Every structure is written in C-alpha cells, then in structure tokens.
Amino acid sequence: MTHTPRSTSARLAARTAAATVTLCLATGVGGAYAYWATVGAGSGAATNGSMATVTVEALVAGDTPQSTLVPGGTADVAVRAYNPNGYAVQVYAIRGNGATTADANHSGCTTTGVTFASPAAPLTPAVSIPANSSVLITLQGAASMSTDSLSACQGATFRLPVTLEARK
C-alpha cells in the first residue's frame, strides 16, 4: 500500500493532535492531583505589642488659648498631648474627668462655674500625634462659665482635668 503525501500529512496531524490532547490531559490531571494531594506544614510566630499611654501635659511656655473665659461665655481649651510610642497615634476623644479648679493664686474662687464640654468622638477634624512627639490641640468653645462664678475667679487660670483616648 502506497501512501500519498496527503494521507501522510493527515495521519501526522491526527497523531500530533492526539498526542497534544493526551499531554494536556495528563498535565491537567497531574496538576489537579498535586493541588488536592499536596500536604504542607509550617509554623509562625507573632507578638502583640502594647501601646504606651498617650498623656496630656500641662501647658508649656508659649501654649495659650486664643480666647478668654468670662461669666456667661465660652472659651477655647488648649490641651497638649504627648505620644511616647514609636508610631503615630490618632486622638479619638477628649472627655472631662473631674472638677474644675482655679489656680493657687485664686484660692477664694471656690465656685468656678466653669464646665468642660467634651467634643463628639471621634474628633473632627482628626488629630494625629507623630511618634515620640507632642501636639497642641485647641478645642474651640469647649469651656463655659456660668454667671454663678464668684468675683474671686477674675483673672484665674482654670484646671480642667481631661482623659484623652488615642488609637493606633
């Protein structure tokens, strides 16, 4: 039997196609088997660090509120916050934490009439404290003074204890 070039080419093409399909099936089945049958093991470790306490400091030289407090009015509250962590933190909230008192030079100011209005949390605009540094935060109109304040409170500097909540 003699083979014509046309029939030889057709047979070669058919064998090539069959070999390619067989190879693809074998590779696909082997890959699927390897995917489902592979077993691995390993270990890992992590530690959960603790955030150091962000503190509120007394005002330092040059830190002054931009407004003054008068009976029946409001004024800004200036808060200096220090971040001792090696990463930036965001101040989430500042809340009043105790009674307002007048400075030592105004001992007769026993009824201050001063209150602190905690701003809504989270603070807007957001306040970020860079790593190992402090920032001055001004809370506009956060202090108010009633008309019940004693005259002995004139010229006093008031201590408004606050708690600061910071988050990473």
Side-chain angles (χ1 to χ4, degrees):
M1 172 175 199
T2 59
H3 297 288
T4 61
R6 182 180 257 171
S7 67
T8 304
S9 293
R11 276 194 195 138
L12 183 59
R15 285 184 183 165
T16 302
T20 302
V21 168
T22 302
L23 183 61
C24 286
L25 286 174
T27 303
V29 170
Y33 176 76
Y35 177 78
W36 292 108
T38 299
V39 176
S43 63
T47 58
N48 186 11
S50 296
M51 184 168 95
T53 302
V54 175
T55 58
V56 178
E57 301 174 332
L59 299 182
V60 297
D63 291 346
T64 55
Q66 299 301 310
S67 58
T68 55
L69 193 57
V70 295
T74 63
D76 298 344
V77 173
V79 175
R80 179 160 291 281
Y82 174 69
N83 175 18
N85 296 289
Y87 48 84
V89 297
Q90 182 174 350
V91 177
Y92 182 79
I94 299 175
R95 296 180 182 92
N97 185 23
T100 301
T101 56
D103 62 66
N105 294 330
H106 293 83
S107 58
C109 180
T110 54
T111 302
T112 66
V114 177
T115 57
F116 177 74
S118 300
L123 285 183
T124 304
V127 176
S128 181
I129 308 173
N132 300 307
S133 64
S134 67
V135 296
L136 182 65
I137 303 168
T138 301
L139 305 170
Q140 295 182 344
S144 62
M145 182 181 229
S146 74
T147 54
D148 294 333
S149 298
L150 298 176
S151 293
C153 296
Q154 287 184 339
T157 298
F158 297 100
R159 181 179 177 271
L160 299 164
V162 297
T163 299
L164 182 140
E165 181 181 343
R167 298 180 178 180
K168 184 173 177 185

